[in-house]
């Protein structure tokens, strides 16, 4: 781990500097040696990093949805060139290029925050070993070593010996209880985040190996976090638990406001949108109008959720427009008539004949 951490040593100074700046603020409120001051400094570091990563998160969403949409085509390529791996790889790259999809984009947020994670681990490990690092000088080092969260020092680990924990002025029982609870919460939050994604925000009409992989990761990731967590200092557990909670909340917002087409979340969203239109008589909000406009633009390519939404609007006497607005069907007819010249053309119906005329055969012309 020291070898990996040393690779990110270039960022330990900025990370330690950010923590110290936040510590100055919280130290003035809770006390410089308080666990709350140091713990909230780590939480604030997470929030700052995740705010900076929002653009990458948006790219991740687009990349993930793009990969989901490409799964049928990718499966077809794999089956067509199953005996020619080189051609299969070439066709895959061609497909990515044509669609502008990058498989690595879905990993960008994790990759981007990895240096901060390892730098923080290195900082806390140095504090545990009584070594100054970055901008954390000797007085700050002593303050951080005295900081406890629910009786557990920030630099203590679940696997630490009783002697090492005692040197940090704590008991091994407190450390193991606090770390165990945080590891469980960290694993559960990871599991719930992935489960929420699989159950609500995946296009259920497309059955592909990608879905099976995501389902498998839903169970593997929490186990990985639990195993790795016993070797994480309390401060790193605070960091990782905070970032998991942030990811879970961020994903909830995206699922509720911009769900994946064809997913259960989209069905729920369009049901709420239909109630909104029924109440207000129109679509209120730029985001909602953008989604309605996208549905209208799809035309016959709409999925089941979108067709159900358009049908429900029609039954209520409304029609969705290309700009995302919704108007009454009578207004749409009037607009169509105005566009054709202002006069509605009526179909000429043939004159109705009487019963006697319908039964009398036509007279034949007389021969001269």
């Amino acid at each position: 781990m020291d070898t990996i951490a040393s690779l990110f040593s270039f960022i330990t100074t900025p990370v330690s500097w950010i923590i110290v700046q936040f510590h100055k603020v919280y130290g003035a409120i809770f006390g410089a040696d308080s666990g709350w001051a140091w713990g909230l400094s780590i939480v604030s570091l997470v929030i700052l990093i995740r705010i900076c990563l929002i653009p990458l998160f948006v790219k991740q969403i687009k990349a993930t949805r793009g990969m989901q949409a490409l799964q049928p085509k990718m499966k077809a390529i794999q089956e067509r060139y199953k005996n020619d791996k080189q051609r299969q790889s070439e066709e895959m790259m061609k497909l990515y290029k044509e669609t502008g999809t990058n498989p690595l984009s879905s990993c960008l947020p994790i990759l981007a925050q990895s240096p901060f994670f390892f730098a923080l681990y290195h900082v806390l490990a140095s504090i545990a070993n009584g070594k100054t690092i970055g901008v954390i000088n000797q007085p700050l080092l002593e303050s951080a070593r005295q900081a406890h969260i629910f009786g557990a020092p920030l630099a203590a680990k679940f696997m630490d010996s009783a002697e090492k924990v005692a040197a940090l002025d704590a008991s091994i029982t407190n450390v193991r209880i606090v770390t165990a609870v945080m590891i469980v919460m960290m694993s559960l939050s990871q599991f719930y985040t992935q489960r929420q994604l699989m159950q609500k925000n995946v296009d259920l009409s497309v059955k592909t190996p990608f879905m099976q992989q995501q389902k498998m990761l839903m169970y593997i990731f929490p186990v990985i976090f639990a195993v790795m967590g016993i070797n994480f200092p309390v401060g790193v557990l605070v960091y990782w638990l905070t970032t998991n909670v942030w990811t879970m909340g961020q994903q909830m917002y995206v699922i509720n406001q911009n769900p994946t087409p064809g997913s259960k979340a989209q069905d729920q969203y369009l049901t709420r949108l239909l109630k909104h239109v029924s109440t207000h008589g129109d679509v209120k909000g730029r985001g909602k109008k953008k989604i309605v406009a996208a549905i209208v633009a799809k035309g016959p390519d709409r999925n089941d959720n979108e067709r159900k939404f358009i049908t429900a609007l029609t039954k209520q006497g409304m029609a969705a427009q290309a700009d995302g607005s919704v108007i009454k069907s009578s207004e749409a007819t009037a607009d169509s008539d105005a566009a054709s010249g202002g006069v509605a053309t009526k179909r000429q119906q043939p004159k109705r004949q009487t019963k006697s005329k319908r039964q009398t055969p036509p007279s034949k012309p007389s021969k001269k």
Side-chain angles (χ1 to χ4, degrees):
M1 192 67 183
D2 291 338
T3 303
I4 298 176
S6 64
L7 295 176
F8 298 96
S9 59
F10 68 94
I11 205 171
T12 53
T13 299
V15 166
S16 62
W17 184 85
I18 293 172
I19 292 176
V20 168
Q21 301 313 306
F22 281 124
H23 177 258
K24 289 180 181 178
V25 176
Y26 295 121
I29 301 172
F30 300 103
D33 299 335
S34 168
W36 286 105
W38 285 100
L40 288 174
S41 298
I42 296 172
V43 171
S44 299
L45 172 68
V46 175
I47 294 173
L48 178 63
I49 292 171
R50 295 310 299 265
I51 289 174
C52 294
L53 291 179
I54 286 177
L56 290 181
F57 179 74
V58 173
K59 287 186 177 181
Q60 180 190 30
I61 293 173
K62 292 180 179 179
T64 302
R65 291 183 180 179
M67 289 298 294
Q68 289 176 351
L70 289 180
Q71 287 302 305
K73 294 181 179 179
M74 292 171 64
K75 189 175 181 180
I77 291 173
Q78 290 172 349
E79 291 178 354
R80 185 174 181 181
Y81 302 105
K82 58 183 177 181
N83 297 324
D84 189 347
K85 296 298 181 181
Q86 183 177 353
R87 181 65 185 278
Q88 185 183 117
S89 178
E90 291 174 356
E91 291 296 323
M92 287 287 190
M93 295 304 295
K94 183 179 178 182
L95 180 63
Y96 294 148
K97 187 175 181 180
E98 289 176 351
T99 57
T101 304
N102 186 355
L104 297 178
S105 296
S106 59
C107 303
L108 284 177
I110 295 177
L111 294 175
Q113 67 176 319
S114 295
F116 297 95
F117 171 77
F118 286 112
L120 178 63
Y121 183 93
H122 199 36
V123 168
L124 292 172
S126 297
I127 291 173
N129 295 323
K131 299 178 181 178
T132 58
I133 183 172
V135 300
I136 297 180
N137 53 28
Q138 193 63 35
L140 287 172
L141 176 64
E142 293 301 325
S143 175
R145 285 175 66 84
Q146 294 177 28
H148 291 61
I149 295 179
F150 302 113
L154 287 175
K157 307 174 191 175
F158 183 89
M159 297 300 292
D160 281 347
S161 64
E163 293 77 13
K164 190 171 183 179
V165 173
L168 294 171
D169 195 22
S171 70
I172 190 66
T173 303
N174 281 349
V175 169
R176 290 188 174 173
I177 290 174
V178 172
T179 52
V181 170
M182 294 183 73
I183 289 169
V184 169
M185 292 175 65
M186 187 173 67
S187 299
L188 287 177
S189 60
Q190 178 67 38
F191 176 79
Y192 180 78
T193 300
Q194 192 68 20
R195 186 171 182 267
Q196 179 183 231
L197 181 67
M198 287 299 301
Q199 288 195 338
K200 287 190 173 184
N201 209 37
V202 171
D203 187 351
L204 300 176
S205 63
V206 181
K207 305 293 183 182
T208 64
F210 179 78
M211 293 179 62
Q212 296 299 323
Q213 293 170 7
Q214 293 296 309
K215 189 175 182 180
M216 185 170 60
L217 292 176
M218 180 174 68
Y219 296 99
I220 292 177
F221 273 151
V223 175
I224 293 174
F225 273 96
V227 172
M228 294 175 63
I230 61 176
N231 292 308
F232 287 165
V234 172
V236 174
L237 292 177
V238 171
Y239 175 94
W240 211 249
L241 177 60
T242 305
T243 198
N244 277 4
V245 172
W246 177 282
T247 301
M248 184 170 61
Q250 192 171 242
Q251 184 172 276
M252 280 183 179
Y253 177 81
V254 171
I255 288 175
N256 287 329
Q257 299 300 319
N258 190 16
T260 298
S263 65
K264 183 179 179 181
Q266 189 197 34
D267 185 29
Q268 295 172 346
Y269 177 87
L270 293 179
T271 300
R272 296 195 303 270
L273 182 57
L274 185 64
K275 290 181 181 179
H276 170 88
V277 173
S278 302
T279 302
H280 299 282
D282 196 4
V283 180
K284 303 292 183 181
R286 184 181 299 176
K288 293 183 177 70
K289 285 189 175 182
K290 190 175 180 180
I291 288 178
V292 173
I295 293 174
V296 173
K298 285 185 178 181
D301 295 329
R302 299 179 188 122
N303 60 48
D304 292 339
N305 296 334
E306 294 161 348
R307 282 193 288 269
K308 186 170 71 172
F309 173 73
I310 295 296
T311 302
L313 281 178
T314 304
K315 288 181 179 179
Q316 294 189 15
M318 298 180 179
Q321 304 300 296
D323 63 353
S325 62
V326 173
I327 62 176
K328 293 182 180 179
S329 297
S330 57
E331 294 177 6
T333 304
D335 290 342
S336 177
D337 292 341
S340 62
V343 179
T345 57
K346 295 183 178 180
R347 183 180 177 184
Q348 295 293 329
Q349 298 289 339
K351 292 183 179 180
R352 188 173 182 180
Q353 295 179 333
T354 61
K355 186 175 181 181
S356 59
K357 287 185 178 181
R358 290 198 304 270
Q359 292 177 347
T360 304
S363 57
K364 297 181 179 180
S366 59
K367 296 181 180 180
K368 292 185 180 180

